[in-house]
Amino acid sequence: MLRAILAFTILSLSPTAFAGEAEFRLEPIQGNVFRFTAGHYHSIVMPTPEGCFVADPISPEAARWLKNEIQQRFDTPVRYLVYSHNHFDHTLGGEIFDEPSITCISQELAREDLVRTRTETRIPDLTFKDQLTLHLGDSQVHLRYHGSNNGRGSISMKFMPADVLFVVDWIVLGRLPYMDLKGYDIHGMIDSTREVLDIPFTTFVGGHGRTGDRQDVARYLGYLEALYGRVVEARRAGQTLAEMQKSIRLVEYKELDRYQEWLPLNIEGVSRTLDDRSYLDMQMER
Ligand SMILES: [Zn+2]
């Protein structure tokens, strides 16, 4: 009885501590690949008898929870920690996995930026330029750089034999790209997504949004291409931003989350890129 009262008191006194933990989940996706969720963020874990692969740690709290969960559920040591790109909101918490037996890896530009910006996480001890394959027993992870798209040194991760592909931020399924595309390179997003579709995979996991398949990724690419094409067309016809935001409708994508709110912002982002990169505003004035 005393124990029951104590438990009740603890629960009622610290709801936030429990609510925080409830945000963390580790769920099977396919084969030995698991998706780690912390709020709106996703990462990947691949346990094998020879050790465990971990992608983005997301935050110190998330990483602490994950480390314990891996030990409890799989009883295999973490061997690799790999960052998807440089942004702090995916890479914080790396220090939780700061042990000599764990190799921390990123693309070289991601490491460079983490150092420059003094991001408070574990700094990678191994980098690569184009691609790198990691082996854990019978499983492999293929890491690939596709050029500029979002942030710096952003890569795809392909898990075999599970046949799962993981990309963060520049491919988001079921939702429009983020607001006015601040920090995104629309040309690079299109080119990188085309390259990703040349890689065989059956299941796609994103750092945000829902999980899907090749067709979902192709549909996302279709949206990017349509958005870009329509903005170029409208700008060449002399439309202002306000006119484009009124006239451009991509109704075939209206089921995507944030379609109403973010389409005008996506249009603004592409138009801004055309000015910054191609001086399209100056071309049109001539
Ligand atoms: Zn993100």
Side-chain angles (χ1 to χ4, degrees), residues 176-219:
L176 254 57
Y178 191 67
M179 299 185 74
D180 71 343
L181 309 178
K182 178 175 179 285
Y184 287 83
D185 169 354
I186 183 74
H187 301 132
M189 287 165 81
I190 291 172
D191 293 345
S192 301
T193 307
R194 284 180 184 153
E195 265 191 40
V196 153
L197 282 166
D198 284 339
I199 301 172
F201 67 88
T202 52
T203 299
F204 176 89
V205 176
H208 304 277
R210 62 174 183 78
T211 294
D213 58 20
R214 296 184 68 78
Q215 261 187 330
D216 296 313
V217 176
R219 186 159 168 71

Side-chain angles (χ1 to χ4, degrees), residues 34-49:
F34 291 71
R35 184 173 77 162
F36 170 45
T37 297
H40 297 298
Y41 291 80
H42 303 300
S43 182
I44 292 277
V45 169
M46 184 187 76
T48 78

Side-chain angles (χ1 to χ4, degrees), residues 224-244:
L224 293 182
E225 290 173 335
L227 172 72
Y228 186 80
R230 292 295 302 280
V231 174
V232 170
E233 191 181 85
R235 285 292 303 270
R236 297 210 65 89
Q239 287 193 19
T240 63
L241 175 60
E243 286 166 346
M244 287 191 288

Side-chain angles (χ1 to χ4, degrees), residues 128-191:
F128 65 97
K129 193 170 190 285
D130 298 319
Q131 42 187 311
L132 179 70
T133 299
L134 306 173
H135 296 263
L136 275 173
D138 295 333
S139 301
Q140 304 100 46
V141 187
H142 304 289
L143 310 175
R144 257 188 238 202
Y145 181 58
H146 303 277
S148 162
N149 38 51
N150 174 244
R152 296 194 77 218
S154 191
I155 58 173
S156 69
M157 306 186 197
K158 162 88 184 284
F159 299 85
M160 288 301 286
D163 210 22
V164 172
L165 191 90
F166 178 57
V167 165
V168 176
D169 287 350
W170 47 275
I171 300 178
V172 179
L173 301 185
R175 194 202 79 190
L176 254 57
Y178 191 67
M179 299 185 74
D180 71 343
L181 309 178
K182 178 175 179 285
Y184 287 83
D185 169 354
I186 183 74
H187 301 132
M189 287 165 81
I190 291 172
D191 293 345

Side-chain angles (χ1 to χ4, degrees), residues 108-143:
E108 59 187 24
L109 298 172
R111 184 189 191 279
E112 181 187 86
D113 191 75
L114 292 171
V115 172
R116 275 188 182 152
T117 59
R118 301 184 210 160
T119 302
E120 291 179 2
T121 190
R122 181 173 175 184
I123 296 301
D125 23 51
L126 179 67
T127 63
F128 65 97
K129 193 170 190 285
D130 298 319
Q131 42 187 311
L132 179 70
T133 299
L134 306 173
H135 296 263
L136 275 173
D138 295 333
S139 301
Q140 304 100 46
V141 187
H142 304 289
L143 310 175

